[in-house]
Amino acid sequence: MQLLIRFDAHDRAAFREAYESAREERDQAGLTQLQLWEEADAPERLWALYGVADRDRAQAWMAKASALASHLKGHDGHFLATA
């Protein structure tokens, strides 16, 4: 299973710094970063694709306030299965 998240940041540079410092929290949630993109036409919007080891832990990570929360205007996540 994968998780695709759209992050809408207030400040891309500050978000990226917070994102990198939150790696341990993602690891503990059973998430493996597969890819991170910055949207070409909206540089404050980033997309991340993760491999998911445990959906419940991943959902809990998404729902809780984290180091990223203060850097975000919003986010939206989708769990995906290979078709």
Side-chain angles (χ1 to χ4, degrees):
M1 177 173 289
Q2 291 81 38
L3 172 60
L4 179 65
I5 301 178
R6 184 202 74 239
F7 296 107
D8 294 318
H10 294 293
D11 176 301
R12 182 183 47 152
F15 171 81
R16 290 292 300 265
E17 185 176 322
Y19 181 84
E20 291 304 321
S21 69
R23 180 178 306 270
E24 186 175 336
E25 286 181 31
R26 289 190 306 275
D27 291 346
Q28 291 173 354
L31 296 171
T32 303
Q33 180 181 307
L34 302 174
Q35 190 64 280
L36 182 66
W37 300 279
E38 293 176 354
E39 194 166 311
D41 296 327
E44 304 306 316
R45 179 170 289 160
L46 296 96
W47 296 82
L49 179 64
Y50 304 97
V52 177
D54 183 305
R55 184 175 180 162
D56 291 337
R57 285 191 299 158
Q59 285 178 305
W61 175 80
M62 283 183 34
K64 74 176 189 161
S66 71
L68 302 178
S70 65
H71 298 283
L72 293 174
K73 295 183 244 182
H75 70 284
D76 188 29
H78 303 273
F79 287 93
L80 307 169
T82 303

